[in-house]
Amino acid sequence: MTTPNPTGPRSIAATGDLTQAITGDHNTATHIAHQVVLPPQSPAPAPAPAPPRLRNIPARLGFVGRQHELALLDAALATSRGVVVHALHGLGGIGKSALAAHWADRQAGEYNPVWWIGAETRSDMDAGLAALATALHPDLAGILSQEALRERAVQWLASHDGWLVVLDSVAEPSDVNWLLDRTTSGRFVITSRRATGWHGIAEPLSLDVLEPADAAALFSRVAGHDGDPGDPGDATAALCAELGHLPLAVEQAAAYCGETGTTAAEYLDLLAEYPAELYADSGEGGDSSRTVARIWRLTLDRIADDPLAGRMLRVLAWYAPDRIPFALLDGLGGTLAARRARGRLIAHSMIRADAEDRSVSVHRLVQAVARTADPEDPHRRPELVAEARETAVRQLVRAVPLAWADPASWPAWRELLPHVDALAEHAPPETDTVESAWLFHLSGLFLLNQGAVDRAVRRLDRALTAQRRLLGREHAETLRTQRELAAAHRGAGAVERAVDLAMETVRRCLDALGEDHPETLGAWTVLADAYRAAGNTRQAILVYQAALDARNRTLGEDHQVSLGACNDLADAYRAVGDLDHAFPLCERTLERCRETLGEQHPETLRAWHNLASTYRADQQVRRSVELAERTLRQCREFFGDEHPNTLWAENALAGAHRAAGDTERAVALCEHTLAVRERVLGPDHPDTLVSRSNLAAAYESAGEKDRAEQLFVRVLADRIRVLGPDHPDTVRSRKNLG
């Protein structure tokens, strides 16, 4: 602490006559107090203590939970030496100020003064420090200028300890350096939306959203009731979840509900219908600047010098909130420009990054606001929101792998699929474009491949609706999607719908594209598959034969598509027990596949499988086992041990062993196939359910009746849950259990 110079000007704190100390005139001080400015290096004030329990912490009704963060602050600020600075940072509305106020209020017995300073701008800080100086020395009010009062406060802080100052809503870490540099003791707590830049300045503490139970408690406290009458709390929990458990949004919704008598369930419905209005509604008598829409607009105003940052946030709004790959952002501008924009959003807590995962996350409410058009908000004008939606589609189109059936593409598909799902959920169908229809088409095929048949049907139906509107009902792309939707209906067990849609597709293909067009040939096959799934195998054979004849005529007998049609027809003959036609067709197809396509081609392996199955149907079980073993060896060699084709061949070999009476080998193969499919495809994939059913049948053949029954019961329950009660596989499970 600096001692006043006895030969120089006396410090104001050391004199009992403030007017004389300032003016040097014992008679008057009129109109000159505003001229007094203490130089930055003027002597520090005398060691006058602060008045007892000096504090100005704002009251905070909306504070719940945060016990972990409170404990961290207690520990971080408990050190006894030097100045300690802690920075609470996070998204606007996350509750930084509420936490700081609640913690500071608890420190009244430990620190004096406990002082709150709004620090969004330098002028705000000057005003807050001047108010502190006046509180420390009330006689200075109206005498010194704000600049002089600010200086007096800084000098007092520099010469005392045992105080706590909260600097609320600091815009940039550098904005407070000048103050921190002049203090050597005491405690600062800073709140800021800036997530970066605190190194060497303050110890940062990142704040996340509330726990679900705390969010519900906050809603009830602000709304003034313990929940909706007649509602067990589910509606409140659902509303808080929709708001992403963001404290400001929960408070905003609760205030509206409390004032208007609106229930949480009703507010949810209103939010879906009037999002822009509710995001901006502060309630009667509320602070219009303290709404989620306004707070995030101010943040974007601060980074408006980089338009790409705002555009990037609007694009992110259309994806799932978590694990958005960097790759979906890097194409938005040049490499450096995109990284810089991403960095600005991270720095201002609008998004979070996971460098190890190479992804970002966005609070779901930030997304909801960013994709809600508002003509009054320069960052959310309707044309900007629409452009962002179309850009989000293009970024996904560029990122998704085309080879959706290749297991090597599955990790990428599984990473991107949640974002395709989110886009489909948030973008109204009437806004779909040709690009988004193609994206939904492709994702539908992947979902179908993964066994998510109901989701595949919905996605393909969305694509078809858009293509009919944009391209017309007889466009080749439209008919392709319609054909694949028919196949998806077959996979979902809606065989009548599959037959009807496939027949319509064939008719339209013939009329619009001609009998030799590839889409027409594909439509014939889908129709035959639908007939076969419906149990009308004789009709299926007629259609398979027509499809084969057309392919032989247009593509040639040795084309892989023609040979695939041969495999289809041969397998259908076997299914109806017409082995006189099945055997020669299987053998002829296998020979041509080996000569034309090679041993590794999937159609060649399928021909081996068909021949093995035909021998099994003819009770030639030893020959069936030999061919099934050969097929499995080839699949393992060509595809690897866990490829779907290999598992399919392993499953077929298990069936051959079971037919031959070798139940021990059948059980071992079934157990292995099931374990791999559960791990690779998931426990609910239709192929996994087939393996589970086959294992139950193998147990039954081995005489393990109890294990078989338990597994059959599980398969039936799984199929009812996954496929529905009327799916053909579910019906088959009921028969197996009986």
Side-chain angles (χ1 to χ4, degrees), residues 31 70 116 153 303 306 338 400 439 464 480 546 563 711 714:
H31 299 308
L70 289 169
W116 186 277
I303 57 177
D306 186 355
V400 294
L439 177 66
L464 179 60
R480 176 183 302 174
L563 294 174
L711 204 51
R714 179 181 174 184

Side-chain angles (χ1 to χ4, degrees), residues 202-254:
E203 184 67 25
L205 172 61
S206 177
L207 210 56
D208 207 343
V209 297
L210 291 172
E211 293 295 325
D214 291 334
L218 175 60
F219 180 91
S220 296
R221 180 182 301 178
V222 176
H225 55 71
D226 295 328
D228 296 339
D231 181 81
D234 293 345
T236 297
L239 174 56
C240 291
E242 181 66 23
L243 298 173
H245 305 112
L246 186 76
L248 177 60
V250 172
E251 286 186 51
Q252 191 176 329

Side-chain angles (χ1 to χ4, degrees), residues 503-645:
M503 289 181 66
E504 180 190 340
T505 307
V506 169
R507 287 196 299 269
R508 288 189 179 276
C509 284
L510 289 170
D511 292 342
L513 306 177
E515 62 179 354
D516 294 337
H517 193 279
E519 288 304 325
T520 307
L521 302 180
W524 280 117
T525 300
V526 169
L527 177 58
D529 291 341
Y531 276 133
R532 184 173 177 182
N536 192 350
T537 309
R538 292 293 180 185
Q539 185 66 30
I541 287 175
L542 295 177
V543 179
Y544 280 133
Q545 184 65 65
L548 175 59
D549 293 342
R551 283 170 171 157
N552 286 340
R553 184 179 67 253
T554 57
L555 302 175
E557 293 185 356
D558 292 333
H559 193 279
Q560 64 177 9
V561 175
S562 301
L563 294 174
C566 287
N567 274 324
D568 291 336
L569 182 58
D571 192 50
Y573 278 130
R574 177 201 58 78
V576 297
D578 188 350
L579 303 186
D580 290 339
H581 282 93
F583 264 119
L585 185 54
C586 282
E587 291 169 343
R588 187 166 63 252
T589 302
L590 175 60
E591 181 181 359
R592 284 160 54 194
C593 283
R594 297 178 72 184
E595 291 177 355
T596 306
L597 305 178
E599 296 289 353
Q600 300 182 19
H601 196 279
E603 289 298 343
T604 305
L605 297 174
R606 189 175 165 215
W608 280 112
H609 167 74
N610 280 349
L611 185 57
S613 298
T614 304
Y615 275 117
R616 178 178 165 187
D618 196 37
Q619 304 300 313
Q620 299 186 53
V621 290
R622 290 185 58 186
R623 182 59 174 155
S624 174
V625 167
E626 291 173 359
L627 295 181
E629 288 177 336
R630 186 187 194 286
T631 304
L632 178 57
R633 285 196 304 271
Q634 288 178 310
C635 285
R636 284 174 173 166
E637 179 182 352
F638 301 149
F639 300 116
D641 290 341
E642 296 185 351
H643 191 281
N645 289 350

Side-chain angles (χ1 to χ4, degrees), residues 253-387:
Y256 181 95
C257 290
E259 291 169 1
T260 63
T262 302
T263 67
E266 290 168 341
Y267 190 93
L268 265 173
D269 294 337
L270 291 172
L271 190 60
E273 190 171 356
Y274 306 105
E277 291 85 348
L278 292 183
Y279 292 143
D281 193 323
S282 60
E284 185 69 25
D287 184 353
S288 61
S289 67
R290 293 288 301 168
T291 66
V292 290
R294 180 62 180 167
I295 281 181
W296 297 332
R297 173 175 172 175
L298 293 175
T299 300
L300 291 176
D301 285 344
R302 288 176 181 167
I303 57 177
D305 57 312
D306 186 355
L308 183 56
R311 180 177 179 235
M312 183 176 288
L313 186 65
R314 289 189 294 273
V315 171
L316 288 169
W318 297 97
Y319 299 145
D322 299 315
R323 300 190 66 186
I324 305 171
F326 285 172
L328 291 179
L329 305 179
D330 292 342
L332 294 178
T335 301
L336 294 181
R339 289 174 181 245
R340 184 167 55 249
R342 186 176 72 209
R344 297 290 298 278
L345 293 173
I346 293 169
H348 288 269
S349 299
M350 297 302 285
I351 65 175
R352 291 187 177 187
D354 185 333
E356 182 177 348
D357 204 31
R358 295 192 57 77
S359 68
V360 299
S361 60
V362 194
H363 190 278
R364 60 182 301 163
L365 199 58
V366 172
Q367 292 180 302
V369 172
R371 64 175 178 263
T372 301
D374 183 353
E376 303 301 320
D377 188 334
H379 307 291
R380 296 188 288 130
R381 295 196 306 271
E383 65 274 15
L384 295 179
V385 172
E387 186 276 336

